[in-house]
Amino acid sequence: MTITGSTPVAGVVGWPITHSLSPLLHNAWLAEAGLPGVYVAMGIDPARFPAFIESLRGGTLKGLNVTLPYKGQALIAAHRASRRANLAGAANLLVFQPDGTIFADNTDGEGLMAAFADQAPGFDPAAGPAVILGAGGAARGAAVAFLEAGAEVRVVNRTLSKARELADELGCLAYGLDQAADAFTDANALVNATSAALGGAVLDVPLAATPKTTVVMDMVYKPLMTPFLLEAQTLGRRTVDGLGMLIGQAKPSFTAFFGTEPPETVDVRALALKTLEP
Ligand code: ATR
């Protein structure tokens, strides 16, 4: 594709950003669809994030995906936001309107549910309790997605007070890590939304206390099979990985940027897996 003065540009902003898989996904879809467009990664220093967003108003870019640590700030920077972004308290998608305003959305919950649908066929999120491990931004997004899908949600966190705070606000139940086995009883879904793996720590929870039918998910996708998912598989549980969620949140983002759904004819998961191989 030749890049011209009228080529639509979109991207992803975060800090750090160089390991983002989003450019790979979006540019593969653009190439497959034969659409004009380019999608780039932008690493912005925290001190410059508000000025950066302000400078893009009016349509320099079609829009941006937003990743750590800016999802909360992105929501605040927007003039309008979707209900799901307000509920999550975070935006992973900003759309720059021609009138200079910014619209914030959050497609992470949609991505989470798409990952379950793809990798655990027949999974019904409303069929039983969903247990969310963690009480940070990622956990909040997952809790909102399951509440919106009609599930009872149980938040389990190392720091019980943080679980209580989140649970009180959203209308769900709170547990400490020492009560995890109680929360796991009759779980329909179990989602690891902690950052334990990112810090190299192994999350010590009694996975065997879940019923055999629990579908176990980890939001982390580096490595794709986290120790948490490997243990779940060893116990015979069905598992869902974080790459499915990443692709699931990217699809509606692509539509918001480029005005058409991404083509199904390119296997972006296979492309991403190649880059994740050690
Ligand atoms: P994010 O916004 O990405 O969710 P965060 O707000 O820093 O990140 O939240 C990280 C979550 O992972 C927290 O719930 C944290 O537990 P605490 O509230 O007790 O800090 C959880 N977490 C991080 N490392 C953990 C570990 N080694 N074991 C258990 N939970 C951990």
Side-chain angles (χ1 to χ4, degrees):
M1 196 237 345
T2 306
I3 295 175
T4 70
S6 62
T7 302
V9 182
V12 57
V13 62
W15 183 260
I17 199 66
T18 49
H19 291 98
S20 172
L21 290 176
S22 294
L24 182 76
L25 304 178
H26 286 270
N27 289 309
W29 282 325
L30 284 166
E32 180 72 9
L35 282 174
V38 62
Y39 184 103
V40 288
M42 301 174 196
I44 303 297
D45 184 277
R48 297 194 183 86
F49 182 76
F52 171 72
I53 295 297
E54 178 66 22
S55 74
L56 297 173
R57 290 175 57 183
T60 313
L61 302 187
K62 291 285 176 196
L64 282 177
N65 284 125
V66 183
T67 188
L68 297 179
Y70 297 130
K71 290 185 183 189
Q73 282 186 68
L75 180 66
I76 292 165
H79 301 88
R80 283 188 314 121
S82 64
R83 181 173 178 271
R84 57 190 184 176
N86 280 323
L87 279 172
N92 75 322
L93 173 61
L94 294 178
V95 179
F96 298 106
Q97 312 284 6
D99 68 1
T101 61
I102 304 172
F103 175 67
D105 199 356
N106 194 317
T107 65
D108 282 337
E110 190 178 339
L112 181 78
M113 288 303 165
F116 272 86
D118 283 352
Q119 296 178 25
F123 173 78
D124 174 6
V131 180
I132 312 297
L133 299 175
R140 185 189 179 96
V144 165
F146 275 97
L147 285 169
E148 289 283 284
E152 173 194 312
V153 171
R154 301 169 180 172
V155 177
V156 178
N157 196 43
R158 180 176 60 184
T159 310
L160 178 59
S161 59
K162 277 174 71 182
R164 285 220 177 100
E165 215 173 289
L166 182 61
D168 287 351
E169 202 185 321
L170 296 179
C172 42
L173 302 168
Y175 298 78
L177 272 187
D178 55 340
Q179 304 160 306
D182 292 341
F184 288 3
T185 312
D186 73 358
N188 180 43
L190 173 61
V191 177
N192 181 14
T194 72
S195 54
L198 300 178
V202 174
L203 196 59
D204 187 19
V205 289
L207 271 176
T210 56
K212 282 240 173 275
T213 50
T214 306
V215 179
V216 179
M217 195 252 179
D218 200 325
M219 286 191 171
V220 169
Y221 58 84
K222 279 179 200 169
L224 189 70
M225 288 307 292
T226 60
F228 181 74
L229 288 187
L230 284 172
E231 189 187 344
Q233 273 193 352
T234 304
L235 289 166
R237 309 293 182 266
R238 288 200 291 170
T239 60
V240 174
D241 60 53
L243 181 57
M245 177 172 169
L246 181 81
I247 295 170
Q249 64 76 36
K251 285 181 179 177
S253 302
F254 183 93
T255 306
F257 301 142
F258 303 113
T260 180
E261 285 182 17
E264 297 284 347
T265 43
V266 56
D267 187 352
V268 289
R269 183 177 169 89
L271 291 176
L273 284 175
K274 271 191 209 158
T275 75
L276 289 175
E277 275 166 12

